[in-house]
Amino acid sequence: MPIIEQSLGQLARKIPGSTEVFRRYHLSYCCGGKQRLGEALEGQGINPETVIAELEQLEAEGDSGRNWSEASAAELTEHIVERYHNRHRQQLPELAQLAAKVEAVHAAHPQCPKGLAEHLAYMWQELETHMGKEEQVLFPMLTGACGIQSRGPLLVMRAEHDEHRQALERIITLTDNLQPPAGACNTWHALYIGLEQFCDDLVQHMHLENNILFEDPDELLESYR
């Protein structure tokens, strides 16, 4: 079914990140979740082509299928920043807002993910600091003539990746393995779908760095001798 014919609630459940688009255009996907996208856009006098293009871009999943082990450090770092760093910067603020809303509205529900919004805010702060260090320090070293000096920062980044994995495990614990309860509202469903996409993205992000870009620290050091 074309995107424009689907309801706001369906799209919020189906497309991670769509809630940020709806909020920006003042489209009610929770209480007005049964309304078709086309009807909602017409009611607001919004050009449907613009919104549909944004939703289609969000719907596109995963990487291009390229074998990144064959790419240069410059190509891979550029891909990581564009595909993952920039995406995380969109994902986490929106997910934290959704979590805060779910916690506020459903505080009395026994499966309410209490503490999730705070955890995501903390995770966002830590991840933003981590990505900044990669972009400003480590990546320029790996793509420049200072590769031999990158061993220290590289080991620090690997250690922080372990902390990110623990933070992901905390998300799984707080959300009952990302399973919303029966009768959960559209916001709750959208939150868990978005979290699933974020977790998948972060795992793939760390895989590209740990297993391809960073390599083994000692082997990397040997390559510059």
Side-chain angles (χ1 to χ4, degrees), residues 84-163:
Y84 296 102
H85 287 197
N86 292 342
R87 183 69 182 126
H88 296 332
R89 291 183 171 111
Q90 294 174 336
Q91 290 170 317
L92 277 170
E94 173 68 10
L95 291 171
Q97 287 192 39
L98 291 175
K101 185 174 182 180
V102 169
E103 290 184 59
V105 174
H106 303 286
H109 196 290
Q111 289 177 262
C112 178
K114 296 177 182 178
L116 179 61
E118 181 180 4
H119 177 65
L120 291 174
Y122 169 78
M123 195 173 181
W124 167 232
Q125 181 180 12
E126 294 297 305
L127 191 57
E128 178 60 40
T129 300
H130 174 87
M131 294 187 301
K133 287 186 289 189
E134 287 185 336
E135 293 169 8
Q136 298 167 26
V137 179
L138 181 57
F139 288 179
M141 284 183 172
L142 292 174
T143 58
C146 303
I148 196 170
Q149 301 175 21
S150 67
R151 188 175 188 275
L154 187 152
L155 292 173
V156 171
M157 294 299 99
R158 277 179 172 269
E160 291 183 2
H161 283 179
D162 291 338
E163 295 173 1

Side-chain angles (χ1 to χ4, degrees), residues 25-223:
Y25 288 102
H26 306 289
L27 302 174
S28 178
Y29 61 89
C30 191
C31 296
K34 293 183 179 180
Q35 188 177 29
R36 290 190 301 109
L37 175 63
E39 294 173 343
L41 294 174
E42 184 178 356
Q44 295 278 18
I46 299 171
N47 180 1
E49 293 182 2
T50 302
V51 178
I52 290 172
E54 291 189 47
L55 294 174
E56 287 177 342
Q57 182 175 353
L58 288 172
E59 196 172 24
E61 295 180 1
D63 290 322
S64 63
R66 177 172 179 178
N67 183 355
W68 289 103
S69 63
E70 299 176 352
S72 68
E75 290 174 320
L76 183 51
T77 54
E78 181 180 2
H79 171 69
I80 288 170
V81 172
E82 291 182 355
R83 171 63 179 84
Y84 296 102
H85 287 197
N86 292 342
R87 183 69 182 126
H88 296 332
R89 291 183 171 111
Q90 294 174 336
Q91 290 170 317
L92 277 170
E94 173 68 10
L95 291 171
Q97 287 192 39
L98 291 175
K101 185 174 182 180
V102 169
E103 290 184 59
V105 174
H106 303 286
H109 196 290
Q111 289 177 262
C112 178
K114 296 177 182 178
L116 179 61
E118 181 180 4
H119 177 65
L120 291 174
Y122 169 78
M123 195 173 181
W124 167 232
Q125 181 180 12
E126 294 297 305
L127 191 57
E128 178 60 40
T129 300
H130 174 87
M131 294 187 301
K133 287 186 289 189
E134 287 185 336
E135 293 169 8
Q136 298 167 26
V137 179
L138 181 57
F139 288 179
M141 284 183 172
L142 292 174
T143 58
C146 303
I148 196 170
Q149 301 175 21
S150 67
R151 188 175 188 275
L154 187 152
L155 292 173
V156 171
M157 294 299 99
R158 277 179 172 269
E160 291 183 2
H161 283 179
D162 291 338
E163 295 173 1
H164 298 333
R165 284 197 186 88
Q166 294 174 9
L168 289 177
E169 292 173 3
R170 177 64 175 160
I171 290 176
I172 298 302
T173 299
L174 289 171
T175 61
D176 292 331
N177 200 29
L178 296 174
Q179 295 298 315
C185 67
N186 287 329
T187 301
W188 206 331
H189 278 281
L191 170 62
Y192 283 13
I193 290 172
L195 284 171
E196 183 176 15
Q197 182 66 61
F198 165 70
C199 291
D200 289 345
D201 283 347
L202 185 55
V203 168
Q204 179 65 13
H205 172 186
M206 293 189 294
H207 157 70
L208 289 175
E209 292 184 346
N210 282 352
N211 300 324
I212 300 178
L213 181 64
F214 293 172
E215 303 179 282
D216 180 87
D218 294 321
E219 289 182 6
L220 182 65
L221 183 62
E222 286 292 334
S223 68

